[in-house]
Amino acid sequence: MTSTGIRLHAPAPGWSIPADVVVVGSGVAGLTAALRCQAAGLTTVVVTKARLDDGSTRWAQGGIAAALGEGDTPAQHLDDTLVAGAGLCDEEAVRILVTEGPDAVRRLIATGARFDESSEGGLALTREGGHHRRRIAHAGGDATGAEISRALVEAVRERGVRTIENALVLDLLTDAGGRTAGVTLHVMGEGQHDGVGAVHAPAVVLATGGMGQVFSATTNPSVSTGDGVALALRAGAEVSDLEFVQFHPTVLFLGPGAEGQQPLVSEAVRGEGAHLVDAGGVRFMTGRHELGELAPRDIVAKGIMRRMQELDAEHMYLDARHFGAEMWEHRFPTILAACRAHGIDPVTEPIPVAPAAHYASGGVRTDSHGRTTVPGLYACGEVACTGVHGANRLASNSLLEGLVYAERIAADIARSPLQARDPHPLPQSERPAHPLLPPEARFAIQRIMTRGAGVLRSEASLAAAADQLERLHAEARDALAEHGKTAEPGVDTWEATNLLCVARVLVAAARLRQETRGCHWREDHPERDDTAWRRHIVVRLDPDRTLATRTTDGTDFPPTLHATQEQ
Ligand code: SIN
């Protein structure tokens, strides 16, 4: 696979450093990959967009799922994962996850992560949606991600892994043969490594997290702008399953116009016995699924949306008043504090909740060693599509996936012959080849995507979204063509350009998939269609700037559906 030659418009790199491996991102996946690479004797550099602990991992509440409890087995964890994935999980990828998972969690504990213990002294395990067993390990009650992040950041510092913070990755560097040769990045730092530079390395691990910021309301932090997926597309890598965006059912409702990162109310609250009710106190999930309020996440999100439609309501409620103050304070201190900060006391009143964008089940397509279709480029964590999640990720499988596949990537890199590669020279021209979007385009994209490609989708809503996204792009392209002008290179304009890139692919894939499956809900195609759609949509950006789409079973789309878009 060769690079498309499409790059973010940016100044030429003013500095460079060499490494064996550059890891982009510092969540559970990135830091685990970095620690394992360093332990294997590889010169490793971690670059991360903000501070080391500013990504999505820190915000994870519920926990990390693994068959660690008495009577539980990897086979049962596999079954629950496959059911949640609605026919699209790669069974081998899931088998790897569930069999390697328990030991990977034990290694995480050995690295320093402290999980909550039960009164008998073993790990305290809880339940979440779609799990038939108590198998979610948690820390600090509902601060699991924060504890994992603390332990890994501490280990990275103690073991002297080189890190570059406040560094937005721009593009992949490749050699003349199309093999990975490093990345370009922009650092907001001081001194030697400031501005645009490069890390030259024959192995690049993308662990950049998700793209929740493509929607107005999301549980993701502001850094989750799809940078890794956009970089991979420009580098010529394949991405898959982008239409499967998971909307978390219970996000604190802060009003209809709430934008940006919203407080999560973990599924573990339902796992411990909270009820979903409407304004009249009716438990509307009863009878909709055998697991009721603990059904897989897509089913609960749909149940909430349907009840909201039936009652013309803006939100539903999560009622856990029966927990009492002590349990709230001990088991869910983070959620309690977030609710109280917004004037809601869950001890005495039900919590208003509504679904919001939470997790990208798709991403950069990899094999079972985390290799993408570009030699030397790896991906793990939310940015990757390993095949584990299928059409809908099972709750708390993501931290585990980051951990297990990061370890596999490090093992693969350690056993490959690594040879420094000369990056293909970057074109030097005053005039940008491709337009950048202005910073305010971010909010336009978020509104377009929320209206047209949110929880409920249809051909009409998706076509409108595609047109509006196209208009944003056309304005930027025409300004460049007619006046040689584009937005100033900078973090805001690079992020907005990345958001547009992933939004367009997401909408194209969502239009193609004319069925309802997992977290992809088409009002105009309300049934799951296993005859036509038990396959994945794979997208690649071609050098001629079209999106090439294919399905994993080799059959093509009807010509009218074949998505080709000018970039
Ligand atoms: C939650 O705590 O509900 C989120 C866990 C996850 O997304 O896996």
Side-chain angles (χ1 to χ4, degrees):
M1 220 50 70
T2 54
S3 166
T4 60
I6 301 172
R7 320 191 136 267
L8 286 175
H9 173 53
W15 51 269
S16 70
I17 54 176
D20 293 324
V21 187
V22 55
V23 177
V24 188
S26 59
V28 63
L31 294 187
T32 301
L35 285 166
R36 298 281 177 274
C37 286
Q38 168 109 344
L42 301 165
T43 309
T44 305
V45 176
V46 176
V47 301
T48 190
K49 199 168 172 184
R51 287 171 317 184
L52 278 183
D53 65 352
D54 269 345
S56 291
T57 292
R58 173 156 73 92
W59 298 96
Q61 294 179 349
I64 184 160
L68 292 157
E70 211 177 299
D72 197 5
T73 60
Q76 294 175 62
H77 189 184
L78 177 114
D79 285 347
D80 286 346
T81 303
L82 296 182
V83 169
L88 279 189
C89 295
D90 174 336
E91 195 165 329
E92 190 45 32
V94 181
R95 200 178 307 284
I96 288 169
L97 177 86
V98 298
T99 50
E100 296 183 12
D103 277 345
V105 172
R106 289 184 194 104
R107 283 190 288 276
L108 180 63
I109 293 170
T111 305
R114 293 189 288 264
F115 287 93
D116 296 336
E117 295 190 347
S118 67
S119 47
E120 293 87 54
L123 282 177
L125 299 172
T126 190
R127 276 184 71 193
E128 288 184 8
H131 291 272
H132 282 83
R133 287 258 175 197
R134 285 190 164 260
R135 66 165 69 96
I136 322 293
H138 48 86
D142 57 2
T144 313
E147 169 57 15
I148 290 175
S149 185
R150 180 207 61 76
L152 291 173
V153 168
E154 229 169 83
V156 158
R157 293 208 167 112
E158 270 165 21
R159 296 178 200 178
V161 179
R162 182 165 188 180
T163 60
I164 306 179
E165 296 180 294
N166 301 311
L168 173 66
V169 69
L170 300 175
D171 275 301
L172 192 75
L173 291 165
T174 50
D175 69 7
R179 288 196 55 99
T180 293
V183 290
T184 54
L185 68 167
H186 174 267
V187 183
M188 281 190 296
E190 280 161 23
Q192 213 185 347
H193 298 140
D194 188 21
V196 175
V199 182
H200 292 155
V204 170
V205 181
L206 286 180
T208 48
M211 54 176 81
Q213 289 289 329
V214 86
F215 295 97
S216 298
T218 173
T219 60
N220 290 192
S222 63
V223 290
S224 301
T225 50
D227 309 320
V229 169
L231 171 150
L233 281 162
R234 291 191 296 270
E238 287 187 339
V239 305
S240 189
D241 297 0
L242 246 53
E243 67 274 31
F244 295 115
V245 178
Q246 187 167 72
F247 291 83
H248 196 289
T250 55
V251 175
L252 183 61
F253 179 75
L254 299 178
E259 292 190 334
Q261 187 179 14
Q262 311 290 306
L264 178 66
V265 183
S266 173
E267 277 199 27
V269 179
R270 274 173 284 137
E272 298 292 351
H275 305 145
L276 274 169
V277 293
D278 62 23
V282 175
R283 285 180 67 180
F284 54 90
M285 282 307 293
T286 308
R288 290 196 192 227
H289 190 274
E290 47 137 357
L291 292 172
E293 282 131 341
L294 282 177
R297 192 166 278 183
D298 59 313
I299 291 164
V300 181
K302 280 174 202 168
I304 292 176
M305 290 300 290
R306 287 217 169 95
R307 196 65 177 161
M308 281 163 54
Q309 286 176 327
E310 282 161 18
L311 301 180
D312 196 20
E314 287 180 326
H315 60 83
M316 291 288 114
Y317 292 94
L318 189 65
D319 192 351
R321 287 174 288 180
H322 54 287
F323 286 2
E326 202 182 306
M327 172 151 165
W328 266 109
E329 280 157 19
H330 173 71
R331 181 66 182 85
F332 298 113
T334 312
I335 299 168
L336 181 66
C339 289
R340 284 183 171 161
H342 288 95
I344 314 269
D345 189 351
V347 179
T348 57
E349 57 191 322
I351 308 166
V353 290
H358 181 57
Y359 192 86
S361 294
V364 185
R365 191 171 164 75
T366 73
D367 67 10
S368 60
H369 300 281
R371 304 178 195 124
T372 73
T373 47
V374 174
L377 179 65
Y378 295 80
C380 55
E382 190 172 352
V383 68
C385 182
T386 59
V388 157
H389 306 309
N392 180 39
R393 175 180 65 96
L394 183 65
S396 284
N397 264 357
S398 46
L399 291 174
L400 189 71
E401 189 205 29
L403 200 57
V404 166
Y405 281 87
E407 289 189 342
R408 292 178 75 82
I409 286 174
D412 194 70
I413 296 174
R415 64 176 167 255
S416 325
L418 283 183
Q419 188 189 320
R421 304 189 178 269
D422 288 331
H424 205 53
L426 296 173
Q428 301 297 323
S429 152
E430 284 299 298
R431 192 187 161 94
H434 305 285
L436 290 174
L437 261 66
E440 59 276 14
R442 178 185 185 119
F443 306 106
I445 294 165
Q446 290 172 338
R447 282 191 283 271
I448 292 167
M449 293 298 284
T450 300
R451 264 198 311 270
V455 184
L456 281 170
R457 303 162 173 182
S458 66
E459 170 53 23
S461 78
L462 290 163
D467 282 352
Q468 289 157 8
L469 293 174
E470 182 49 35
R471 235 173 288 144
L472 279 180
H473 170 67
E475 279 166 21
R477 182 195 56 205
D478 294 348
L480 179 60
E482 284 159 27
H483 312 292
K485 284 215 171 86
T486 191
E488 274 298 303
V491 172
D492 291 351
T493 55
W494 289 317
E495 284 185 341
T497 307
N498 283 340
L499 282 169
L500 181 68
C501 175
V502 296
R504 294 174 85 193
V505 180
L506 195 163
V507 168
R511 285 182 83 178
L512 288 170
R513 185 170 288 280
Q514 296 187 337
E515 64 158 354
T516 288
R517 180 189 296 271
C519 51
H520 174 65
W521 188 6
R522 288 278 302 248
E523 283 181 297
D524 48 348
H525 296 279
E527 303 302 327
R528 172 166 152 174
D529 179 355
D530 274 342
T531 313
W533 282 110
R534 200 155 177 182
R535 52 190 179 146
H536 300 268
I537 297 170
V538 180
V539 181
R540 200 188 64 233
L541 187 60
D542 275 346
D544 66 357
R545 304 179 202 175
T546 57
L547 288 181
T549 49
R550 70 173 178 88
T551 55
T552 42
D553 66 358
T555 53
D556 206 356
F557 301 108
T560 50
L561 288 178
H562 205 283
T564 55
Q565 299 185 21
E566 193 194 343
Q567 284 295 295

